[in-house]
């Protein structure tokens, strides 16, 4: 069964965030977004905009394509 792109982004965000040692709140603060937003993305409650993806990737120091890679 194919993963939905939204699920892929959520899974990758959570994995990369943890590898980088960020809490959801810390990531949000550094990205300049609402403190609850990363958790909402990870729980599939919201889909991030391109602007939010760009901010998160800047903080995580990754290329945005990393959030879209499937295993």
């Amino acid at each position: 069964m194919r993963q939905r792109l939204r699920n892929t982004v959520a899974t990758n965000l959570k994995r990369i965030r943890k590898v980088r040692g960020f809490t959801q709140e810390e990531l949000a603060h550094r990205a300049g977004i609402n403190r609850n937003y990363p958790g909402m993305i990870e729980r599939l409650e919201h889909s991030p905009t391109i602007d939010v993806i760009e901010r998160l990737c800047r903080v995580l120091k990754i290329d945005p394509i990393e959030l879209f890679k499937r295993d």
Side-chain angles (χ1 to χ4, degrees), residues 9-19 24 42:
V9 170
T11 300
N12 287 334
L13 176 62
K14 185 175 185 176
R15 178 182 49 79
I16 295 166
R17 175 182 61 75
K18 286 183 173 188
V19 166
Q24 292 173 346
E42 291 177 7

Side-chain angles (χ1 to χ4, degrees), residues 13-31 38 42 55-62:
L13 176 62
K14 185 175 185 176
R15 178 182 49 79
I16 295 166
R17 175 182 61 75
K18 286 183 173 188
V19 166
R20 296 286 193 267
F22 288 110
T23 64
Q24 292 173 346
E25 285 188 18
E26 183 179 10
L27 177 59
H29 175 72
R30 291 182 183 217
E42 291 177 7
R55 288 175 173 205
L56 293 170
C57 290
R58 190 175 312 127
V59 172
L60 294 169
K61 297 183 178 167
I62 60 169

Side-chain angles (χ1 to χ4, degrees), residues 27-64:
L27 177 59
H29 175 72
R30 291 182 183 217
I33 59 177
N34 182 283
R35 67 184 184 94
N36 298 317
Y37 203 58
M40 295 169 87
I41 295 168
E42 291 177 7
R43 290 187 303 274
L44 303 173
E45 294 171 357
H46 279 285
S47 296
T49 65
I50 295 298
D51 293 335
V52 169
I53 288 173
E54 185 174 46
R55 288 175 173 205
L56 293 170
C57 290
R58 190 175 312 127
V59 172
L60 294 169
K61 297 183 178 167
I62 60 169
D63 189 291

